[in-house]
Amino acid sequence: MIVSAFTLEQKRAWAQLLAPWSATEVSKLDAQGLAGSAVAANFVAEAEKQGHVWPVRYGK
C-alpha cells in the first residue's frame, strides 16, 4: 500500500477545483425544494466545531 501526504497548498488547489461542483450540487438540491444550503452550512459548522480546518471554506 502506498500512502501519500499532500501539502496544504496541494489540498487547497484540489479543494478549489471542487468548489464549483459543490455549489452546483447544493443549488440543485435547493431547486428541488430540499435544504441543500442549510445541510451544507450545518455540516461545515459542525465539522469546524470538531476542529476540522478546511483548505478552502466553501460557501463563504
Side-chain angles (χ1 to χ4, degrees):
M1 174 186 280
I2 297 174
V3 177
S4 299
F6 296 97
T7 66
L8 180 57
E9 288 308 313
Q10 289 170 317
K11 291 176 185 179
R12 190 170 286 134
W14 176 75
Q16 286 172 333
L17 291 173
L18 290 178
W21 175 83
S22 177
T24 299
E25 294 306 308
V26 167
S27 294
K28 286 180 186 177
L29 293 171
D30 289 341
Q32 294 174 31
L34 300 171
S37 293
V39 170
N42 287 335
F43 173 79
V44 168
E46 290 301 318
E48 288 173 343
K49 283 182 190 175
Q50 298 298 316
H52 184 75
V53 177
W54 305 97
V56 171
R57 193 166 191 282
Y58 303 130
K60 287 270 181 179

